[in-house]
Amino acid sequence: MPAFISFLTITEFTIFGLPEDISNLIFMVLGAAIFCGVSAVMALLGVYLERKISAKMQDRLGPMEVGSHGILQTLADAVKLLLKEDIVPAAADKTLHFIAPVMIFAATLAAFAVLQFSEGIVFSDLNVGIFYIIAISSFVVIAIILAGWSSNNKWSLLGGMRAAAQIVSFEIPASLAVMVVVMSVGSLNLGDIIDAQEGSMFSWMIFRFFPFNFIAFIVFFVASLAELNRAPFDMPEAESEIVAGFATEYSGFKWSCFFLAEYANMFLVSVVITTLFLGGWRSPFGDFLNSQPFQLFWLLSKAFVIIFIQMWLRWTLPRVRVDQLMYTSWKVLTPFAFVAMIGVGLLMIL
Amino acid sequence: MNIPFYDILFYVFAALIVSSAAVMVFSRNVIYSAVGLLFAFFGVAAIYVLLGADFVAVAQILIYVGGILVLLIFGVMLSQKVTSVDIKNGAVQIVPAILVVGGVLFILIRVLLSTPWGAASGRNIQDVDLTAAVEPTTQQIGRLLMTEYLIPFEIVSVLLLGALIGAAFIARKDA
């Protein structure tokens, strides 16, 4: 059964001469704690960026008071959220109302385990890495539906059901777009996918089998926007229609779990897009500036460019209608994803 | 000192499967049953991981949690009385159910007792090197699906296609 350990850790050495089992256990717990911290910091940073970018786009200043240019504002908000009273509606289903935010955060965090942050810095070099990310994200859907149902509120329920329909629909083009990359590389392992993109920026997956992988990139980007419930596909929490959707009846720490999960998911998706299509942690200039600290820098800068585009779209585009959303998924993205897949297949055998 | 790490994990997940399956069966609330099923699926996926079947474990989560369970809960919510907690999960047809379940249990126990577990993989259980890393399975599964098991694979996909067309036909407005 030690197969388990080979899936979960790549660390070979032990700490302080402890037995290997205990040492590995400590590594796993430490790694999980680090990812908790990383995702929380990324969420705080994401919220701050969102406020500042939206302010710039709307010709405002955004948060300016707390810290220089409001840089401590999200930290103050986080402290405020943690200290707030936790209100559970009297008619809510208490158990599920509690499980939903825990599950959404746990699922988001679990997906972080396979990400490659730079050469050799990966918590779990899972052989089915990208497949695992797609699979574990399905817990997010369940958590959102449960949140919507357990709140016992019509807006919550509508938000939950919209989210379920939306995420399930967009999972199909997203998975097909991932398939295109997996076909081009011949592996589900994220490390193999990054290795296949060795060289300068023109060997990135986005330029491979042109234009089919580029189509897959666009399809995956749009589908991931919808899976994140981000504008223009933010029907599950459309403020003007259903208050705050599935999160309407949540407050305090539980609400911040949803919020944290949303921004952590944005970061996750950006890293996945970077890994699949933009060379992961590889430098755009081949071996130039490709040492380990720079790899982390490249990964984060590519991911933050993607995050910036996500925010840019949110503050530029109006929300689509539900029927337009389904049209986008089934009649636009899915056929294009199939075209990309068949095209890559043809080019591979030619 | 060597902790039986995997044994502990196995029993933790086995307990999770059994208890959540019990919740699923005995709960009067359909949503609770669905959540019980969710944790049972998750526990089964964990057992697959312990067995070294990485691809099957992830496929289990993707198909059962991401597909079937979502549709199940969605279906429950679309049915009557969603906003009240009235959706009940009562027992019906108790006598035939006990007969059928008893029969299935009998067959399962027979299979359990008559299977030579150690020899099932063609090896003696003592000879298997448990410390060796288990090989990745994805490539082998893909190769076998495209060669040895191509016909069953295609038949299953035709069956699924049939189900899909049937569902679309039933859902049609002017049917």
Side-chain angles (χ1 to χ4, degrees):
Chain A
M1 281 194 280
F4 185 64
I5 211 99
S6 65
F7 289 161
L8 278 185
T9 60
I10 55 156
T11 46
E12 299 275 319
F13 55 95
T14 56
I15 13 177
F16 304 130
L18 283 170
E20 201 181 336
D21 283 354
I22 303 178
S23 160
N24 275 330
L25 191 67
I26 294 174
F27 270 124
M28 286 187 213
V29 173
L30 266 182
I34 290 172
F35 280 116
C36 270
V38 167
S39 61
V41 170
M42 284 303 159
L44 286 181
L45 203 58
V47 176
Y48 178 70
L49 280 177
E50 180 112 81
R51 285 175 168 167
K52 277 302 191 189
I53 290 171
S54 67
K56 274 272 181 288
M57 290 189 179
Q58 296 170 342
D59 207 13
R60 296 183 282 121
L61 284 175
M64 290 298 281
E65 296 294 325
V66 190
S68 171
H69 286 261
I71 196 139
L72 297 175
Q73 182 67 52
T74 44
L75 204 62
D77 286 346
V79 173
K80 183 198 76 177
L81 274 173
L82 296 185
L83 296 176
K84 270 176 105 172
E85 186 190 353
D86 178 38
I87 301 165
V88 181
D93 188 310
K94 306 275 183 307
T95 323
L96 295 183
H97 195 264
F98 172 75
I99 287 181
V102 177
M103 196 194 283
I104 198 169
F105 192 62
T108 307
L109 207 58
F112 271 75
V114 293
L115 296 182
Q116 305 247 350
F117 287 97
S118 68
E119 194 162 21
I121 298 192
V122 49
F123 184 48
S124 162
D125 195 12
L126 204 63
N127 190 35
V128 286
I130 185 66
F131 194 33
Y132 165 84
I133 292 181
I134 297 174
I136 209 81
S137 309
S138 40
F139 279 94
V140 174
V141 196
I142 303 267
I144 289 179
I145 309 180
L146 288 182
W149 184 81
S150 64
S151 301
N152 207 355
N153 171 318
K154 56 179 178 289
W155 292 304
S156 299
L157 187 70
L158 276 174
M161 291 182 56
R162 282 182 178 190
Q166 176 171 332
I167 297 178
V168 169
S169 307
F170 277 89
E171 207 142 81
I172 292 163
S175 308
L176 286 173
V178 170
M179 266 305 291
V180 174
V181 174
V182 171
M183 276 168 69
S184 317
V185 178
S187 171
L188 292 163
N189 183 304
L190 290 177
D192 290 351
I193 291 174
I194 294 176
D195 283 345
Q197 307 179 61
E198 201 174 349
S200 74
M201 58 186 289
F202 295 105
S203 55
W204 288 354
M205 207 42 84
I206 188 171
F207 299 117
R208 203 70 60 84
F209 297 117
F210 197 80
F212 296 112
N213 271 1
F214 190 75
I215 296 175
F217 168 72
I218 301 288
V219 167
F220 188 78
F221 182 75
V222 176
S224 66
L225 270 186
E227 289 200 63
L228 289 169
N229 302 329
R230 294 278 305 178
F233 306 112
D234 59 343
M235 263 78 69
E237 38 192 327
E239 304 91 342
S240 48
E241 302 168 23
I242 48 173
V243 192
F246 56 85
T248 306
E249 296 288 5
Y250 280 92
S251 56
F253 184 65
K254 287 181 193 162
W255 185 79
S256 54
C257 272
F258 283 110
F259 208 59
L260 209 61
E262 183 186 328
Y263 280 90
N265 256 324
M266 271 174 78
F267 179 67
L268 173 79
V269 163
S270 309
V271 174
V272 169
I273 292 177
T274 305
T275 306
L276 289 181
F277 295 101
L278 304 176
W281 38 258
R282 290 197 180 278
S283 156
F285 314 112
D287 284 335
F288 181 62
L289 294 181
N290 201 20
S291 60
Q292 206 158 32
F294 276 110
Q295 291 174 351
L296 193 61
F297 166 76
W298 289 121
L299 181 91
L300 289 179
S301 20
K302 289 172 191 173
F304 274 104
V305 168
I306 302 281
I307 290 179
F308 173 72
I309 298 174
Q310 287 171 343
M311 292 178 175
W312 183 8
L313 290 177
R314 170 166 177 183
W315 297 100
T316 323
L317 296 178
R319 184 178 300 135
V320 300
R321 285 196 318 263
V322 176
D323 60 317
Q324 292 169 331
L325 174 92
M326 289 300 162
Y327 176 88
T328 315
S329 171
W330 294 104
K331 295 194 174 168
V332 181
L333 293 184
T334 309
F336 270 107
F338 272 120
V339 166
M341 207 167 128
I342 295 169
V344 168
L346 281 177
L347 287 185
M348 278 173 80
I349 55 170
L350 280 182
Chain B
M1 188 179 71
N2 207 357
I3 309 176
F5 200 51
Y6 306 104
D7 293 355
I8 296 173
L9 277 175
F10 172 79
Y11 286 110
V12 166
F13 285 118
L16 176 75
I17 296 171
V18 173
S19 52
S20 47
V23 169
M24 187 203 110
V25 175
F26 292 117
S27 170
R28 291 263 160 201
N29 185 327
V30 179
I31 299 282
Y32 273 69
S33 293
V35 176
L37 196 58
L38 166 73
F39 285 105
F41 285 151
F42 178 70
V44 172
I47 298 287
Y48 284 141
V49 172
L50 289 175
L51 289 170
D54 51 355
F55 187 82
V56 181
V58 177
Q60 158 91 9
I61 292 185
L62 182 69
I63 294 166
Y64 284 98
V65 176
I68 291 177
L69 203 61
V70 170
L71 290 181
L72 203 109
I73 303 182
F74 205 66
V76 171
M77 288 190 172
L78 283 177
S79 55
Q80 40 115 25
K81 289 236 171 193
V82 268
T83 40
S84 67
V85 203
D86 279 10
I87 317 160
K88 293 296 184 203
N89 191 10
V92 287
Q93 303 275 14
I94 293 177
V95 177
I98 286 176
L99 286 178
V100 172
V101 172
V104 173
L105 182 69
F106 176 72
I107 295 170
L108 282 180
I109 288 176
R110 277 294 296 274
V111 171
L112 189 69
L113 293 179
S114 61
T115 306
W117 287 105
S121 54
R123 295 178 289 191
N124 199 333
I125 194 81
Q126 279 83 24
D127 298 341
V128 179
D129 182 15
L130 287 176
T131 51
V134 172
E135 285 170 38
T137 55
T138 318
Q139 222 165 10
Q140 298 168 31
I141 290 175
R143 189 156 292 141
L144 284 175
L145 275 183
M146 282 297 137
T147 53
E148 211 176 323
Y149 299 101
L150 184 61
I151 300 282
F153 182 65
E154 288 300 325
I155 290 175
V156 168
S157 46
V158 169
L159 177 75
L160 287 177
L161 182 68
L164 205 67
I165 296 172
F169 180 75
I170 292 172
R172 229 163 42 137
K173 267 190 193 133
D174 53 343

